[in-house]
Amino acid sequence: MDADHPRSGVLIASRSTRKQENSRFWFASHGFHKGRTIISNAEVHRRRRFVFNLDLEDFFGTINFGRVRGFFIHDTMFSLEPKVATLIAQIACHENALPQGSPCSPVISNLIGNILDSRLLALARDAHCTYTRYADDLTFSTNETLFPTEIAVNVHGADWEVGVKLRKTIEGTGFFINLAKTRMSLRQSRQTVTGLVVNAKANINQDYYRAARAMCNSLFQTGYYFRPGDNPASATDKLGPLDGTLSHIHFVKARRDRHPKVNKLAKAAGEFHPPRAPEELYRKFLFYKYFAAPTAPLIVTEGVSDITYLQCAIRALVKKFPLLAEEVDGKAVRLVHFLKSSGTSRELLNLGHGAAGQGALISRYENMLEDFKHKPMAHPVIILCDNDDGLKSVIKNAKSKISKIVSTTTTDPFYHLGLNLYLVKVPEGAPPVDKDIESLFDPALLATLLDGKKFNPKKEHADHTEYGKVIFAEAVVRANAGTVDFSGFEGLLTRIEDVLRHYAALMTAAAIPAAAAPGAAAAP
């Protein structure tokens, strides 16, 4: 088949899928593979007498153009024609090797790494060991009284070196060992696999968690943090690295490698109780990141589809709303952020899946911020709601914060709920009526049929008769953003800009956080 044949990509994808579904090819590999994680990689090595770890040197760089091309030609699951294999290798490789960060590299490295895995599995089986691989990280473990010398040899005391047979097997498949990262750990010491302690169960190293907790405490008090043991002069206010650390801890502690429904059923059966302290620490960090120290005005919507609508509207109306975006090299660069709906935001912040979470945020906002000594609140946080029956919990809690009436019929451009928190409703019209954000689109767009199905704004997704907001946002709005009429959003975007001006004036007058009196404000 010719490389540019229209079915060639389909053929490659289908063969790759068949190979991935064949368990014999993936028994040892836990990296870059759906349903497997660092946790699944570590779990099989827990409670072992010996755990031996080693790394492969320059893993991706070792897989060069010739190896990629040759694999797709000679592997029986592919058996591609040379022209097709050459094209794939040209796409996948950069400077004669698989580059790190490319979406092709993980899959292809696993396909070629399977040759290594199959030989090491045979070696491990004969030596009564368990073997797994996570990318370039190889692990052997056993409960045998003596560790097999074909895999590793005890030279002296705590010093071990790679066994001759293991070294030859690895080098025979075109890979090389990074001797600086070879380590043996015994049962009486701390045993780790892909960074997780496996003496009893796959878990976070307690020193790692204590360091994260100390960094958070410093951040919440001063706005800066540094890793314990580092020079305080290295302190930073960059939240990305600490966010990654806490996300990793939460991933392991909350068993995010399993399907959420599995965890939910396990909790209901009393079989799974994720530790509360790490969860609370991450929740507190996220509250600090998004609300105490936002780096730009933050908009909290009811759901993910609202974010898509607003992003597209701001991009289309960039010249009319300079506080929301600016043009750079012909492209609209947004000056406001959105709290994106994710598993973490829904689980820990209860946001991104309806107005009830927004109402709860209003209720606990001030109390949560009291936990932080450092809270610059340089930008406003805007809760954006539909003006309909779903607003009840938001209205109830908003009323408790201000002396102003808030309802579906009030028409204030925004409501200042205290500190840096604001409420903005979808414009009510004249006379005021219930409106959701979808009502801002042209009726003709709302009537768009997809596969013969009508749009139902009351649904999130779809069924056999109708499609919902998420599909409408992506398949209709975003897909046709260049031609969609977003003029109906001008009133809503004006209200958001009014908030930005109001908060800027408060900050200029040094009225936030202590002296600002919460209440409704008219547009400047």
Side-chain angles (χ1 to χ4, degrees), residues 160-402:
W160 292 73
E161 65 180 24
V162 178
V164 173
K165 192 169 185 178
L166 174 59
R167 179 177 55 79
K168 288 184 176 180
T169 301
I170 292 174
E171 292 178 356
T173 56
F175 294 101
F176 300 93
I177 300 169
N178 184 348
L179 297 178
K181 293 187 177 181
T182 298
R183 56 208 179 277
M184 172 70 80
S185 52
L186 309 181
R187 178 174 289 165
Q188 59 269 30
S189 63
R190 177 184 291 164
Q191 298 173 315
T192 61
V193 176
T194 47
L196 302 180
V197 178
V198 294
N199 293 73
K201 64 178 181 179
N203 206 350
I204 291 292
N205 184 327
Q206 281 301 303
D207 291 340
Y208 185 83
Y209 172 68
R210 292 190 190 101
R213 186 175 58 193
M215 289 188 286
C216 283
N217 289 337
S218 176
L219 177 68
F220 301 156
Q221 294 295 313
T222 68
Y224 293 87
Y225 69 93
F226 60 91
R227 293 191 175 278
D230 287 357
N231 189 330
S234 67
T236 180
D237 61 351
K238 304 297 183 184
L239 301 186
L242 185 52
D243 194 353
T245 296
L246 294 169
S247 177
H248 172 64
I249 293 172
H250 180 64
F251 177 85
V252 176
K253 292 287 189 180
R255 293 308 305 270
R256 297 297 293 277
D257 61 315
R258 306 192 304 190
H259 193 281
K261 288 185 178 179
V262 175
N263 280 346
K264 185 176 181 180
L265 292 172
K267 289 178 183 178
E271 298 174 354
F272 175 55
H273 302 281
R276 291 183 59 84
E279 186 175 282
E280 288 299 324
L281 181 64
Y282 194 22
R283 180 182 290 111
K284 189 174 179 180
F285 171 84
L286 292 176
F287 207 94
Y288 173 89
K289 172 184 176 180
Y290 291 123
F291 308 125
T295 57
L298 180 71
I299 300 175
V300 181
T301 62
E302 291 186 30
V304 65
S305 55
D306 299 352
I307 296 176
T308 302
Y309 303 154
L310 290 166
Q311 287 176 338
C312 294
I314 290 172
R315 188 179 302 116
L317 303 171
V318 59
K319 293 181 179 179
K320 291 187 177 182
F321 297 95
L323 297 184
L324 305 184
E326 61 182 358
E327 279 192 311
V328 178
D329 296 330
K331 294 183 179 180
V333 178
R334 279 186 288 106
L335 303 176
V336 294
H337 292 171
F338 293 92
L339 181 60
K340 295 187 177 179
S341 177
S342 66
T344 301
S345 66
R346 290 191 295 269
E347 179 182 354
L348 296 181
L349 298 177
N350 189 30
L351 293 171
H353 56 105
Q358 294 174 315
L361 175 64
I362 294 172
S363 177
R364 60 194 174 96
Y365 196 81
E366 187 174 354
N367 289 337
M368 287 291 291
L369 285 178
E370 288 179 355
D371 290 338
F372 309 113
K373 186 175 180 179
H374 181 264
K375 42 189 174 187
M377 294 185 288
H379 301 280
V381 174
I382 303 169
I383 294 177
L384 193 151
C385 298
D386 289 338
N387 190 61
D388 57 18
D389 288 341
L391 196 61
K392 290 179 180 178
S393 63
V394 172
I395 291 176
K396 177 183 176 182
N397 292 328
K399 285 180 178 178
S400 69
K401 301 297 179 182
I402 60 177

Side-chain angles (χ1 to χ4, degrees), residues 398-417:
K399 285 180 178 178
S400 69
K401 301 297 179 182
I402 60 177
S403 58
K404 185 82 174 179
I405 294 176
V406 185
S407 74
T408 55
T409 59
T410 56
T411 59
D412 301 71
F414 60 82
Y415 304 84
H416 182 210
L417 306 180

Side-chain angles (χ1 to χ4, degrees), residues 28-46:
S29 174
H30 289 256
F32 320 126
H33 183 54
K34 184 178 180 180
R36 297 195 173 189
T37 65
I38 59 170
I39 303 175
S40 64
N41 183 67
E43 278 283 352
V44 296
H45 299 288
R46 61 192 181 92

Side-chain angles (χ1 to χ4, degrees), residues 22-214:
N22 190 329
S23 61
R24 74 184 179 88
F25 289 98
W26 297 100
F27 182 82
S29 174
H30 289 256
F32 320 126
H33 183 54
K34 184 178 180 180
R36 297 195 173 189
T37 65
I38 59 170
I39 303 175
S40 64
N41 183 67
E43 278 283 352
V44 296
H45 299 288
R46 61 192 181 92
R47 299 180 184 275
R48 297 299 174 92
R49 186 187 299 272
F50 298 94
V51 175
F52 183 61
N53 297 287
L54 62 152
D55 285 12
L56 299 179
E57 187 171 14
D58 192 18
F59 179 59
F60 286 120
T62 306
I63 304 175
N64 58 31
F65 178 91
R67 292 183 72 177
V68 174
R69 179 179 181 275
F71 172 82
F72 285 110
I73 293 173
H74 301 296
D75 185 85
T76 56
M77 290 292 289
F78 289 91
S79 299
L80 301 181
E81 293 185 7
K83 293 174 73 173
V84 177
T86 300
L87 179 60
I88 293 175
Q90 289 173 335
I91 294 172
C93 294
H94 176 67
E95 296 182 353
N96 194 39
L98 290 181
Q100 292 194 44
S102 165
C104 298
S105 298
V107 176
I108 294 176
S109 69
N110 263 345
L111 291 170
I112 294 177
N114 177 68
I115 301 169
L116 169 68
D117 292 337
S118 61
R119 296 182 185 180
L120 293 186
L121 281 170
L123 175 60
R125 180 194 60 217
D126 295 341
H128 304 287
C129 285
T130 298
Y131 161 72
T132 63
R133 177 178 62 84
Y134 191 93
D136 60 348
D137 195 332
L138 281 55
T139 304
F140 294 84
S141 65
T142 185
N143 276 325
E144 295 292 307
T145 304
L146 298 175
F147 196 79
T149 56
E150 55 264 55
I151 294 177
V153 178
N154 187 197
V155 181
H156 175 72
D159 295 332
W160 292 73
E161 65 180 24
V162 178
V164 173
K165 192 169 185 178
L166 174 59
R167 179 177 55 79
K168 288 184 176 180
T169 301
I170 292 174
E171 292 178 356
T173 56
F175 294 101
F176 300 93
I177 300 169
N178 184 348
L179 297 178
K181 293 187 177 181
T182 298
R183 56 208 179 277
M184 172 70 80
S185 52
L186 309 181
R187 178 174 289 165
Q188 59 269 30
S189 63
R190 177 184 291 164
Q191 298 173 315
T192 61
V193 176
T194 47
L196 302 180
V197 178
V198 294
N199 293 73
K201 64 178 181 179
N203 206 350
I204 291 292
N205 184 327
Q206 281 301 303
D207 291 340
Y208 185 83
Y209 172 68
R210 292 190 190 101
R213 186 175 58 193

